[in-house]
Amino acid sequence: QTQSTWGGTVELDMLRSTADDSARGSRENEKNGDEYSKSVSTQETPSASAITELSFKDVASRMFELWKSGVIDALRLDRSVLFLMKSKTIAHCTARCFVLNFIIFLLLSPILQWAISFAVQFSTAHLHLVGTVIRILFNTLYELLWGFPVYCVSFILSTIWYKDIADHAYKIQYGKPGKGTDSIQRRLADEIYRLLLIGILLSIIFVIQFIPLIGSVINFFQLSWLYSFYSFEYRWSMENWRLEKRLEFFETRWAYFAGFGFPCTAATFFFPKFLSDGIFALLFPVFILTATAARPKLDRQVATAVVTRPSTSSPSISVGTGVEPQPLLLNMPMAGWMIRMPVFKYPRDFTLAVLTHVMQSLTTDL
C-alpha cells in the first residue's frame, strides 16, 4: 500500500495509514469520555462564504501565540502539584527520581570530576608525568567505572518511574485507559518504527550542532520538539494512538510543541552533556504531568489555509473555499511549513527506506 507524503513516500504494509485506527480510536474515546481526544478528532471547516486572507505577518503572529501557549502549559506547575497531592505513587516516584539523579549527576559526579582534575595536576607537578596522558587515563577510567554504569542505572530506574508517573496521572485526569485493538505484531512493528525514527532524529540533531553559525539555533529547536514529543508520548500511548497519528498531530501543532519543549531545552542546553542529561532526568517528571493535563492548540484558520492567485503580484494566504486554490507547497514552501512543519520528514523518509529495503530483502530470500 502506498501513500504520498511531502512529495511521495513508499509506506510499508505493516506501517499503513492510520485513518481507520483514528476513526476507531475516536469511537473508543467517546465511550471513555475522553474530551481531549474527541476534540482532536473534530475538525472545524470555515464557511465557504467567509474567505479571510492572512498575511505572513498574521500567520507568524498566530504561530507565536501558539508557541507562548505551549510555554505556559509546560510551566503550569500548579497542575503538577495537584497530581502530587492526589497520588502517593506519583509523589513517591517523583521523589525517587529527583533524589537518584540529583545524587548521581549533581553531587557525586562533580566531586569525582574535581578529584580527577586534582589528581592530574598533582601527577603532573610532583610525579613529573605527562599531563595529557594522565588526563586521558583518568577520564577513561571515570567513564568506564562511573559515567557509563551510573548512566545506565539512572536510565533504567527513571524509565520505570516515568511510566508509573504517567500511568497514574492519566488515570487521575481521564480515568482508566481503553484497551488497544491492534495485534501484538502491529504494536511491535509500530515500536520498531518509533525506535528507528527517534534514533535517526537523534543522529541528525547530533550532526546539526556542528553546522557553523546556525547549527546551535537549529539544534535548540530540534531538542525542544524532541523533549515535547517525549513528554506527550506516554499519554498518546495510553490513548492507543498509532505512530502516524502522533506525528500528524505533532507536526500540525508544531508551534505549540516547540513552546512546550522550550523550558526543558533552556534548562539543559547550555551545560555539558552528562550534566545536561542529569538535569533533564530531574525535570522530566514535571513535564510528563503538565503534558497529561495540557490541551495542545491548533489555529484552525491557518490549518485550513490555501494559496490563491490574487490579481496582485504578491500572493496571500486565504482561508476557506470558494476560490480555485493553488498547491500551497508548490507556490510558497515556507507557508506550507507554517501549516504543517515537517519535523520528522527526513528521519521518517530514511526509516521507511530502510524498512522497505529490509522487507524487500526478506521477501526475496523467502
Side-chain angles (χ1 to χ4, degrees):
Q1 186 174 354
T2 61
Q3 180 181 2
S4 178
T5 308
W6 298 299
T9 308
V10 178
E11 282 279 17
L12 292 176
D13 181 61
M14 70 174 184
L15 301 171
R16 65 180 182 271
S17 173
T18 58
D20 294 337
D21 300 297
S22 301
R24 184 169 60 250
S26 177
R27 292 193 295 269
E28 291 175 357
N29 289 326
E30 288 177 3
K31 293 179 181 179
N32 294 333
D34 186 348
E35 298 298 331
Y36 162 71
S37 293
K38 285 193 290 184
S39 67
V40 168
S41 61
T42 303
Q43 299 296 327
E44 300 174 4
T45 304
S47 171
S49 61
I51 306 298
T52 306
E53 292 190 355
L54 301 177
S55 67
F56 280 106
K57 182 179 179 181
D58 293 334
V59 175
S61 176
R62 290 168 180 264
M63 294 297 100
F64 180 69
E65 290 301 319
L66 292 176
W67 180 86
K68 285 199 304 183
S69 67
V71 174
I72 292 172
D73 279 353
L75 296 177
R76 286 291 302 272
L77 300 182
D78 56 308
R79 293 173 174 173
S80 299
V81 172
L82 287 176
F83 282 121
L84 294 172
M85 294 174 61
K86 290 180 179 179
S87 172
K88 290 184 178 180
T89 300
I90 294 177
H92 290 164
C93 290
T94 302
R96 291 170 189 164
C97 187
F98 182 87
V99 171
L100 174 69
N101 291 293
F102 179 84
I103 292 175
I104 289 177
F105 293 100
L106 301 183
L107 186 61
L108 295 181
S109 293
I111 293 175
L112 289 175
Q113 289 175 349
W114 174 84
I116 289 174
S117 178
F118 176 81
V120 170
Q121 293 178 2
F122 180 84
S123 300
T124 304
H126 299 280
L127 301 179
H128 305 291
L129 298 175
V130 180
T132 303
V133 176
I134 294 299
R135 184 177 293 106
I136 293 175
L137 176 62
F138 275 109
N139 286 337
T140 302
L141 291 174
Y142 171 81
E143 294 295 336
L144 291 177
L145 301 180
W146 175 258
F148 182 73
V150 300
Y151 187 90
C152 291
V153 170
S154 171
F155 178 81
I156 294 172
L157 293 178
S158 295
T159 300
I160 295 172
W161 294 330
Y162 294 157
K163 185 66 168 61
D164 289 341
I165 291 170
D167 287 347
H168 285 80
Y170 187 89
K171 290 177 183 178
I172 292 173
Q173 187 74 15
Y174 304 107
K176 187 178 180 180
K179 293 183 178 180
T181 57
D182 287 338
S183 64
I184 296 177
Q185 292 85 347
R186 174 68 62 184
R187 281 181 287 175
L188 179 61
D190 228 29
E191 185 63 18
I192 293 173
Y193 183 15
R194 187 188 73 85
L195 291 175
L196 285 173
L197 185 72
I198 296 299
I200 294 170
L201 180 60
L202 286 172
S203 301
I204 293 175
I205 291 174
F206 176 78
V207 173
I208 284 177
Q209 66 181 327
F210 297 106
I211 299 177
L213 300 179
I214 63 172
S216 296
V217 177
I218 298 175
N219 188 247
F220 189 96
F221 277 99
Q222 289 279 7
L223 286 174
S224 296
W225 281 318
L226 184 64
Y227 292 159
S228 185
F229 189 80
Y230 283 162
S231 300
F232 281 86
E233 267 223 303
Y234 292 96
R235 175 175 172 177
W236 293 335
S237 176
M238 281 180 282
E239 289 171 352
N240 301 308
W241 283 19
R242 294 286 305 281
L243 182 60
E244 287 294 337
K245 182 177 180 180
R246 301 179 197 182
L247 298 183
E248 179 182 0
F249 184 79
F250 189 94
E251 290 180 333
T252 53
R253 293 159 178 80
W254 62 269
Y256 174 90
F257 286 112
F260 191 93
F262 175 82
C264 186
T265 307
T268 59
F269 187 78
F270 302 99
F271 294 98
K273 178 72 168 63
F274 193 75
L275 182 59
S276 173
D277 291 340
I279 296 173
F280 173 81
L282 285 172
L283 298 178
F284 191 54
V286 175
F287 294 111
I288 292 176
L289 296 176
T290 54
T292 302
R295 294 289 188 275
K297 298 175 179 60
L298 172 68
D299 192 305
R300 297 293 178 183
Q301 282 192 312
V302 175
T304 55
V306 294
V307 173
T308 61
R309 290 185 184 274
S311 57
T312 61
S313 59
S314 176
S316 60
I317 298 179
S318 297
V319 177
T321 57
V323 292
E324 185 65 26
Q326 301 298 325
L328 181 62
L329 294 176
L330 177 63
N331 286 320
M332 300 193 319
M334 294 304 294
W337 287 6
M338 288 183 178
I339 295 175
R340 178 170 180 174
M341 180 69 71
V343 178
F344 296 95
K345 170 179 165 41
Y346 299 109
R348 182 178 182 273
D349 289 349
F350 187 82
T351 302
L352 289 173
V354 170
L355 291 175
T356 301
H357 177 74
V358 170
M359 293 301 295
Q360 289 175 348
S361 300
L362 292 174
T363 303
T364 303
D365 293 339
L366 293 176

